[in-house]
């Protein structure tokens, strides 16, 4: 039973994240507000950068904030379910302050598998199920995953990304350099 749960629960976190990531904010904004499919305009990507190029900085910021939020929500949701919903009398995973102590051995899952939801969101954003597998580059989703993992790491990632983006004017290169 423990091996089954140690495989199933992380896989479910990944799937939940993928489904959230498949919600393409830029596509929704384009169809609702501007009555166009953003994937047919500009660079063809369904992300904040293309939204900014087409509709201006205001919409780039709105799409970025919503993409970051769609990354944070499933991670927090998976964490809350696994940390607080009892399974056999106790939660499946230890709290953060218990992970590196002997108390973690009492839990069925001993590692923070809810972070896989963030990876799922990035994958879902790049290859969305609900948008013909044509998505964005995953920059905002990566920043959301970094922010929820560690707020300090998230701020560093955001600052590094903005510096590289201003210097190179290339979003994908900025994200690649920043993610190293």
């Amino acid at each position: 039973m423990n091996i089954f749960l140690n495989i199933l629960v992380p896989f479910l976190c990944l799937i939940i994240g993928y489904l959230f990531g498949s919600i393409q904010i830029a596509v929704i904004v384009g169809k609702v507000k501007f009555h166009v499919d953003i994937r047919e305009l500009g660079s063809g990507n369904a992300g904040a950068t293309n939204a900014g190029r087409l509709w201006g900085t205001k919409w780039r910021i709105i799409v970025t904030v919503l993409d970051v939020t769609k990354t944070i929500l499933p991670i927090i949701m998976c964490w809350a379910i696994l940390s607080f919903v009892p399974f056999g009398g106790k939660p499946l995973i230890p709290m953060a302050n218990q992970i590196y102590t002997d108390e973690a051995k009492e839990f069925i899952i001993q590692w923070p598998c809810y972070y896989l939801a963030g990876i799922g969101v990035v994958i879902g954003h790049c290859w969305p199920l609900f948008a013909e597998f044509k998505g964005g580059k995953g920059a905002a989703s990566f920043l959301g995953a970094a922010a929820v993992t560690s707020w300090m790491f998230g701020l560093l990632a955001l600052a590094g990304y903005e510096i590289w983006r201003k210097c190179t004017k290339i979003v994908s290169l900025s994200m690649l350099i920043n993610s190293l």
Side-chain angles (χ1 to χ4, degrees):
M1 182 69 155
N2 287 352
I3 293 172
F4 177 71
L5 286 175
N6 270 290
I7 294 170
L8 179 66
V9 170
F11 182 72
L12 287 175
C13 288
L14 190 68
I15 294 299
I16 289 168
Y18 177 78
L19 292 174
F20 268 84
S22 289
I23 300 168
Q24 295 294 298
I25 303 298
V27 172
I28 293 169
V29 167
K31 288 186 178 183
V32 171
K33 177 74 175 153
F34 300 101
H35 308 291
V36 295
D37 188 348
I38 191 171
R39 295 167 296 169
E40 295 174 359
L41 303 170
S43 68
N45 285 326
T49 304
N50 200 24
R53 282 188 200 123
L54 297 172
W55 306 318
T57 303
K58 171 186 163 187
W59 289 102
R60 179 181 66 86
I61 292 170
I62 290 170
V63 171
T64 299
V65 168
L66 291 174
D67 279 345
V68 167
T69 303
K70 85 173 178 186
T71 306
I72 293 172
L73 285 175
I75 295 172
I76 291 176
M77 184 178 77
C78 289
W79 167 79
I81 291 169
L82 296 174
S83 296
F84 297 113
V85 175
F87 183 83
K90 64 181 170 187
L92 286 173
I93 62 171
M95 298 300 281
N97 61 342
Q98 298 171 319
I99 289 176
Y100 300 109
T101 65
D102 288 336
E103 295 176 56
K105 294 177 183 172
E106 299 172 14
F107 294 89
I108 295 172
I109 300 172
Q110 299 174 5
W111 59 288
C113 63
Y114 48 86
Y115 287 147
L116 288 174
I119 294 170
V121 171
V122 174
I123 293 169
H125 183 81
C126 295
W127 299 282
L129 180 66
F130 309 129
E132 303 165 6
F133 300 102
K134 286 178 61 180
K137 295 180 192 99
S141 299
F142 172 77
L143 289 174
V148 80
T149 304
S150 165
W151 67 269
M152 199 172 348
F153 180 65
L155 287 177
L156 278 169
L158 179 61
Y161 166 74
E162 285 298 328
I163 290 169
W164 282 107
R165 189 178 64 80
K166 294 256 188 230
C167 292
T168 65
K169 306 274 192 244
I170 303 171
V171 172
S172 55
L173 178 63
S174 303
M175 275 317 291
L176 284 172
I177 291 170
N178 192 46
S179 65
L180 297 176

